[in-house]
Amino acid sequence: MSFWADVGAIFSALLSQDSFEIQTALRSDAAWIVGAVVAALGGFLIMIIYRKVPFIERHFERSVMVYSYLAIALIIFWGVIDRFVFNDQEPWSTTIPPLLFMVMAWFGASYNVRLRTHLSFSEFRTSMPRGGQLACLILDAVLWFIFAVIVIVTTSRLVALSASNFQIVLGTDNIMQWWFLLTAPLSFFLMVGRVFQNLTDDLRNWKTGQPLIQQAVIGAD
């Protein structure tokens, strides 16, 4: 009964949109079960969206990465000019770029899961029998899903903690830290969708006799 009470408290806190209540509710162990179920449902929904809208599937994560990188470059470029030419410096010019870099890295991790460029060991796996290859690919999916759930739950707790403490980005007056931190669990929901995409492709290739292991290429479509 305690478990279901904790689950109910989590959903009640989320519906209340009170960051302090959310932070308190997410401390329970039930957050892991809720996180796993929500991650699975969210990943399945994202996979369906990607399938129905190929434009989003091809461009969303890459657009976030590119615009984050451009924003970082622009802030640093102007910061150098501002400091050495005008003898001035915006106080947030050293705090916003690291946060944008984290956003870029999180969405980049999701995108590269789809490309299988994260330690895929393709050279080793191509020498394995077909059954062993499929077992490795399923293991990849399971491990990525577990990793995503861990990140989603822990970073959601961090987001709630930051919001409940009204943490402001250093050097600014009204930019909240949780706005940036929230992109972490969101990007890992996208990662779960990518994991489901890969697993679906692997099972289809297994049934049709297509090659299971392909050489990963960074930056490929």
Side-chain angles (χ1 to χ4, degrees), residues 46 113 124 135 139 146 153 189:
I46 290 168
V113 164
F124 170 74
L139 179 61
I146 293 173
V153 173
F189 274 112

Side-chain angles (χ1 to χ4, degrees), residues 3 41 53 55 59 68-69 114 119 184 192 221:
F3 169 77
L41 295 176
V53 190
F55 180 84
H59 298 290
S68 297
Y69 183 81
R114 177 58 172 166
L119 299 177
V192 175
D221 290 328

Side-chain angles (χ1 to χ4, degrees), residues 97-108:
L99 294 172
L100 291 174
F101 180 83
M102 288 189 294
V103 173
M104 180 181 67
W106 290 327
F107 280 85

Side-chain angles (χ1 to χ4, degrees), residues 60-207:
F60 178 65
E61 290 147 321
R62 289 195 292 181
S63 296
V64 173
M65 288 187 288
V66 169
Y67 286 114
S68 297
Y69 183 81
L70 290 176
I72 293 170
L74 180 61
I75 292 172
I76 295 177
F77 175 75
W78 177 250
V80 171
I81 295 178
D82 202 23
R83 181 174 183 179
F84 291 99
V85 176
F86 300 102
N87 198 27
D88 191 16
Q89 183 177 6
E90 295 292 343
W92 47 263
S93 61
T94 58
T95 57
I96 296 291
L99 294 172
L100 291 174
F101 180 83
M102 288 189 294
V103 173
M104 180 181 67
W106 290 327
F107 280 85
S110 172
Y111 181 67
N112 282 283
V113 164
R114 177 58 172 166
L115 300 182
R116 303 180 192 267
T117 54
H118 293 300
L119 299 177
S120 60
F121 304 107
S122 57
E123 293 82 1
F124 170 74
R125 292 181 177 182
T126 51
S127 63
M128 299 176 64
R130 191 171 175 82
Q133 293 178 0
L134 181 63
C136 287
L137 293 173
I138 293 176
L139 179 61
D140 286 347
V142 172
L143 293 177
W144 276 119
F145 180 77
I146 293 173
F147 176 61
V149 170
I150 292 173
V151 175
I152 288 171
V153 173
T154 54
T155 55
S156 294
R157 289 172 172 172
L158 182 61
V159 171
L161 177 64
S162 178
S164 64
N165 288 326
F166 303 99
Q167 293 180 338
I168 299 174
V169 176
L170 295 178
T172 68
D173 295 325
N174 53 11
I175 299 179
M176 309 302 294
Q177 286 188 17
W178 71 266
W179 296 350
F180 293 92
L181 298 176
L182 184 61
T183 60
L186 293 179
S187 64
F188 278 85
F189 274 112
L190 298 180
M191 180 181 290
V192 175
R194 293 301 196 180
V195 170
F196 288 172
Q197 274 187 300
N198 288 348
L199 184 59
T200 301
D201 292 344
D202 296 335
L203 295 177
R204 183 177 62 249
N205 291 337
W206 169 264
K207 292 179 180 179

